[in-house]
Amino acid sequence: MARIRVLVVDDHRIFAESLAAALAAEPDVDVAAAGSGPAALRALERGAAEARPYDVILVDAELGALATGGAPALPAPRPEDPALVDGISLVAGVRATRPAVRSVVLAEKDDPRCAARALQAGASGWVAKDCSLQRLLTVIRGVLRDETHLPPALLTGVLRELTATRKHRTESEQLVESLTPREREVLRCMVAGLGRKAVAERLFLSPHTVRTHMQNVLGKLGVHSTLAAVALARRAGVGPAEPVTARLAGDVVERGSQLA
């Protein structure tokens, strides 16, 4: 019998341990629990190193709420960030680094916007925490067959959110396309978090010229701050500029400075 390895990720210890125990009673399921995003990533790494990779992770939609004292922050997914605390970012990180692992989000309440974000991040399912064990097992086995599982009551709301997101993305893409090639280079540097001096050094321009380009970028994008420009760029799918390295006496030196 092929066994399914499941990782429960929830910072509510009692819930995580209870769910893990219930799943472990199934003859074809091996299960472990992690209490945070970083702990989950370490568990996934150990499993892969031991040639016992996990197949499915069950992620709390409100992962991190206990650490923040309320609803978790939901930053743009950054798979490389070792301090991941919220569920959506964890799903995105796992999707980017371990695409064979299927993610299912466990939620206390149905939230179309959060469910849409979870699907965009790479989740294969959204399940209520109070669903039956058999329902959860059906979803686990279904996502391993590349199925996507959503409660029927959520479907209309999620489709509406995805359509709205696509509309915003299209508008953002059109604004970015209005930039000149040089302005797009500057925007990618802004997305990478480079300050004016670092951008000038990278593009072999004067700080004054970089300032002019940045002002033009903000004007054409219709925003009033670097943070807003970066958020719009990410919606349009603009990635950060690649890091510049210089080798000196056998050492690699990173160039560039972070925005204050």
Side-chain angles (χ1 to χ4, degrees):
M1 180 184 297
R3 303 190 67 78
I4 303 171
R5 296 208 72 210
V6 177
L7 180 64
V8 178
V9 188
D10 197 306
D11 47 12
H12 292 75
R13 181 176 177 180
I14 295 177
F15 174 83
E17 292 180 350
S18 298
L19 179 57
L23 290 171
E26 294 297 311
D28 63 337
V29 176
D30 291 331
V31 62
S36 68
L41 294 177
R42 290 193 295 270
L44 290 170
E45 290 175 1
R46 285 196 302 270
E50 296 169 359
R52 299 176 65 242
Y54 287 94
D55 302 298
V56 179
I57 60 170
L58 306 178
V59 183
D60 177 20
E62 297 185 358
L63 185 69
L66 292 181
T68 59
L74 296 177
R78 294 181 59 189
E80 74 280 4
D81 190 342
L84 295 174
V85 292
D86 73 89
I88 304 302
S89 290
L90 176 62
V91 169
V94 171
R95 181 64 174 175
T97 59
R98 302 187 185 279
V101 180
R102 299 293 181 263
S103 300
V104 175
V105 176
L106 305 178
E108 292 187 0
K109 61 181 179 180
D110 285 343
D111 182 337
R113 179 171 296 181
C114 191
R117 290 193 62 195
L119 292 179
Q120 289 176 311
S124 297
W126 176 281
V127 182
K129 280 191 171 183
D130 59 359
C131 75
S132 68
L133 180 62
Q134 287 308 310
R135 167 61 182 162
L136 181 57
L137 287 167
T138 296
V139 172
I140 289 173
R141 295 187 171 105
V143 298
L144 289 175
R145 295 191 296 268
D146 288 330
E147 298 172 0
T148 299
H149 284 256
L150 278 175
L154 261 184
L155 187 57
T156 299
V158 168
L159 289 175
R160 185 182 299 115
E161 290 292 334
L162 292 176
T163 299
T165 299
R166 180 57 196 168
K167 179 182 178 182
H168 292 321
R169 180 181 176 89
T170 300
E171 293 172 349
S172 299
E173 289 171 342
Q174 290 174 345
L175 288 172
V176 169
E177 288 174 359
S178 71
L179 303 178
T180 66
R182 177 63 83 185
E183 289 166 352
R184 290 179 197 173
E185 286 184 293
V186 171
L187 179 59
R188 291 187 65 216
C189 291
M190 294 164 67
V191 173
L194 300 182
R196 190 187 308 162
K197 182 179 178 180
V199 176
E201 292 177 354
R202 180 188 182 92
L203 301 181
F204 303 102
L205 300 172
S206 71
H208 176 75
T209 300
V210 170
R211 179 182 180 183
T212 299
H213 282 312
M214 286 184 167
Q215 290 174 338
N216 290 341
V217 168
L218 297 183
K220 290 184 178 181
L221 297 184
V223 297
H224 301 286
S225 70
T226 297
L227 289 179
V230 169
L232 187 150
R234 287 190 177 277
R235 286 199 300 272
V238 176
E242 295 296 325
V244 176
T245 60
R247 292 189 177 274
L248 298 174
D251 295 328
V252 178
V253 180
E254 296 287 342
R255 296 178 59 193
S257 60
Q258 297 297 314
L259 288 170

